[in-house]
Amino acid sequence: MSHERQGATPARWGADLQTSLFAKGRAGRRATTMPAWRGDDVDTALPAGALRAAPADLPSLSEPEVLRHYTLLSNLNHHIERGLYPLGSCTMKYNPRLNEKVAALSGFASLHPEQDEADLQGLLCALKLLQDALCEITGFAACSLQPAAGAHGEYLGMQVIRARHLDRGENGRTEVLIPDSAHGTNPASVVLTGMKPRTLKSGPDGRLDLDALRAAVGPQTAGIMITNPNTLGLFESDIVEVARIVHAAGGLLYMDGANLNAILGKAKPALMGFDVVHLNLHKTFSTPHGGGGPGAGPICVTQELARFLPAPVIREDAGVYRLDACAGECRPSVHAYMGNTGVCLRALTYILRLGGDGLTRVSERAVLNANYLRKRLEGLLTVEHAEGTLHEFIATGADWKEKFGVRTLDIAKRMLDYGIHAPTIYFPLIVDEAIMVEPTETESKETLDRFVDVVAAIRAEAERDPDLLRTAPHTTPVSRLDEAAAARRPDLSWLGPCNCG
Ligand SMILES: Cc1ncc(COP(=O)(O)O)c(C=O)c1O
């Protein structure tokens, strides 16, 4: 592998990148032809207050100019069609094109949710099929497809748990136990439902510590929120005993099922003793979700909790589907209509295409790929809690910091120069200089081997020229960004540089 700074320089992207669509536009160019207006005179057809005083200042461009602009923009971003995306905890797997075709069928995509139920039969049937499939996969009795993301599912799941306790008059159950390895959304969701998170310290093996759990449960316990396998990629082997302890104390078990990719077809959350699970359809069941959306985070629950799911509920009677408003039985909805149906249709297609055996092979292959990579990285990166990792593993850059004076952030940035999206870094918080790698089942052995070669090359660079890493990336359109400023003062305007102080 070459030790040179690889690939294009930012200048190579050229002036095109600097020019907004607005500046590229020329009066009179068109990418579309609108049908002629055949109604009344516009002045009389629209109320006076809705009329523009001057035409909108929109760019005028030809179709190829528009296409080139967006193709260029799409190439500036890293995406799964461009290269490896081993972002731990995010399951960035390849998204089969078949899913897109199904979601785009006009019988689905052109529906309006306010249409009569008679017109929605196909969609309702598909959504009911998905609910049933998710119940089968998780072992639960009922499902709501409404949540639009994993965190939204957590929020709904916590609401369901809270509603069940209130229903039994157990108003004092407001504390939710959460291991210190949990995703940050877990405590946030608990707080949003008016309950209190309480952190449980993990044991030395990275799993739940039963003594700490026994000491923490009590009449105040609403439940426990566990990711299984957890964010270290480890299966909670004492999960049945955990369930016994929490249930005996009157609490319920919530599973963050974002890591389901590791156990599909192998283990059902309901049989482990959980009462509620949320799934990240946009990870486990493939949906393009880089850049923050779209997603779907359905929850599945036990029979006892089914009546706390939000309205409307899809019901089927003798082959006819309807949306049941539940007449005050269910909880208020958490999303307009039926949720992000496009994502649900992609997930259903994925599930039906693979079938039960195919889904089992997905998790076997995901675990195999992660373990192959972990083993091959030995001597290059130190892996924490390596024993028994499933679909992902956590390495640490702490020894690179000590030996070469480079941080995990520098390693991650340098990977971008090699055309690889950086793994997740600095998460979970319990591992110093964490690098979390999840290759997924959709990557070939050759791609995994290349990742190892890249890590080896970067390690050699760190030894020889640590500044190369500290100043990376060198080949991307922009180099190091001020991430705090980007979040606090985003410049989303085409009019010019942000003037927002
Ligand atoms: C373990 C875990 N829980 C919850 C979430 C939150 O899911 P979302 O980003 O869809 O809200 C994630 C997302 O990465 C996750 O990895």
Side-chain angles (χ1 to χ4, degrees):
M1 180 142 321
S2 157
H3 288 161
E4 296 306 306
R5 295 182 182 193
Q6 301 220 339
T9 60
R12 217 181 98 180
W13 293 100
D16 244 13
L17 180 61
Q18 319 294 336
T19 318
S20 79
L21 262 190
F22 292 84
K24 280 179 197 159
R26 293 289 174 275
R29 280 187 202 159
R30 276 255 174 271
T32 52
T33 315
M34 300 296 281
W37 171 252
R38 287 201 219 147
D40 299 337
D41 199 4
V42 178
D43 288 351
T44 52
L46 290 174
L51 290 173
R52 283 188 167 280
D57 186 15
L58 296 175
S60 299
L61 296 120
S62 66
E63 188 172 309
E65 284 172 317
V66 175
L67 265 177
R68 280 181 192 158
H69 180 81
Y70 286 109
T71 305
L72 175 67
L73 283 185
S74 78
N75 280 318
L76 299 183
N77 263 334
H78 191 86
H79 45 86
I80 195 73
E81 281 86 12
R82 216 179 131 169
L84 180 62
Y85 208 138
L87 197 59
S89 195
C90 283
T91 317
M92 298 298 289
K93 58 171 74 172
Y94 173 72
N95 303 281
R97 283 298 163 270
L98 181 65
N99 300 357
E100 302 305 314
K101 273 191 163 178
V102 172
L105 287 174
S106 69
F108 291 132
S110 308
L111 284 175
H112 191 284
E114 291 285 4
Q115 279 180 252
D116 287 344
E117 271 172 17
D119 299 335
L120 299 176
Q121 288 298 299
L123 177 64
L124 294 180
C125 171
L127 297 179
K128 180 76 171 56
L129 268 177
L130 177 63
Q131 288 185 356
D132 293 349
L134 297 180
C135 286
E136 170 67 28
I137 289 167
T138 57
F140 283 109
C143 172
S144 168
L145 299 176
Q146 281 188 14
H152 199 191
E154 292 166 22
Y155 171 70
L156 176 59
M158 283 297 121
Q159 276 194 334
V160 166
I161 288 178
R162 181 86 183 118
R164 185 268 200 176
H165 291 317
L166 292 178
D167 190 58
R168 291 159 58 113
E170 299 190 41
N171 302 14
R173 292 196 177 275
T174 52
E175 197 173 86
V176 179
L177 305 169
I178 303 183
D180 57 5
S181 60
H183 198 262
T185 50
N186 290 186
S189 303
V190 169
V191 169
L192 278 176
T193 47
M195 296 192 281
K196 287 187 289 293
R198 173 167 169 185
T199 306
L200 276 184
K201 213 168 151 31
S202 303
D205 63 348
R207 295 181 171 88
L208 272 168
D209 179 341
L210 289 184
D211 288 334
L213 175 64
R214 283 191 197 98
V217 292
Q220 77 289 354
T221 305
I224 187 166
M225 216 172 175
I226 310 171
T227 307
N228 198 20
N230 68 20
T231 49
L232 296 170
L234 300 171
F235 192 83
E236 293 290 352
S237 38
D238 287 324
I239 193 63
V240 174
E241 181 57 10
V242 169
R244 203 196 56 71
I245 295 170
V246 175
H247 283 149
L252 295 180
L253 271 83
Y254 181 96
M255 176 162 141
D256 177 330
N259 290 345
L260 201 76
N261 214 49
I263 55 169
L264 275 174
K266 297 283 179 189
K268 298 190 180 198
L271 301 185
M272 297 176 211
F274 285 100
D275 299 282
V276 186
V277 66
H278 89 255
L279 309 175
N280 281 40
L281 295 191
H282 47 291
K283 298 181 182 182
T284 312
F285 301 104
S286 77
T287 260
H289 73 282
I299 66 167
C300 298
V301 301
T302 57
Q303 188 64 54
E304 186 212 345
L305 298 178
R307 69 194 178 95
F308 300 111
L309 290 181
V313 170
I314 303 172
R315 303 212 193 271
E316 188 225 325
D317 298 309
V320 178
Y321 296 88
R322 63 191 172 82
L323 283 170
D324 187 350
C326 310
E329 260 272 293
C330 310
R331 300 192 52 71
S333 53
V334 293
H335 192 289
Y337 305 103
M338 289 151 273
N340 278 348
T341 53
V343 179
C344 294
L345 291 166
R346 287 177 176 90
L348 177 65
T349 310
Y350 184 79
I351 291 170
L352 293 179
R353 171 87 171 76
L354 288 170
D357 288 347
L359 291 178
T360 308
R361 280 202 304 280
V362 162
S363 59
E364 286 171 354
R365 181 76 185 263
V367 171
L368 181 65
N369 272 5
N371 278 279
Y372 174 76
L373 201 53
R374 175 173 66 72
K375 200 77 194 135
R376 284 231 44 215
L377 284 170
E378 271 176 10
L380 293 171
L381 277 174
T382 309
V383 174
E384 298 276 316
H385 304 290
E387 202 49 50
T389 53
L390 294 178
H391 65 303
E392 63 190 358
F393 58 89
I394 318 291
T396 172
D399 51 337
W400 289 43
K401 191 169 160 187
E402 205 179 271
K403 281 189 198 127
F404 317 126
V406 298
R407 301 175 57 216
T408 287
L409 177 73
D410 306 322
I411 305 171
K413 293 289 184 198
R414 184 61 180 149
M415 280 188 193
L416 301 176
D417 286 332
Y418 287 90
I420 292 176
H421 193 283
T424 298
I425 54 172
Y426 300 111
F427 177 77
L429 305 176
I430 52 176
V431 172
D432 186 29
E433 295 289 321
I435 305 176
M436 187 183 208
V437 185
E438 181 181 5
T440 86
E441 72 284 359
T442 56
E443 297 303 338
S444 66
K445 177 175 175 298
E446 292 72 28
T447 306
L448 302 182
D449 287 339
R450 176 162 185 272
F451 182 77
V452 178
D453 290 347
V454 167
V455 174
I458 295 177
R459 193 178 165 105
E461 290 170 350
E463 250 181 297
R464 206 187 52 249
D465 179 10
D467 262 347
L468 185 59
L469 275 69
R470 288 188 206 115
T471 50
H474 304 282
T475 64
T476 49
V478 287
S479 190
R480 296 245 174 159
L481 299 171
D482 181 342
E483 285 163 19
R488 291 197 188 129
R489 299 200 310 273
D491 178 5
L492 306 175
S493 162
W494 59 272
L495 291 170
C498 177
N499 192 18
C500 32

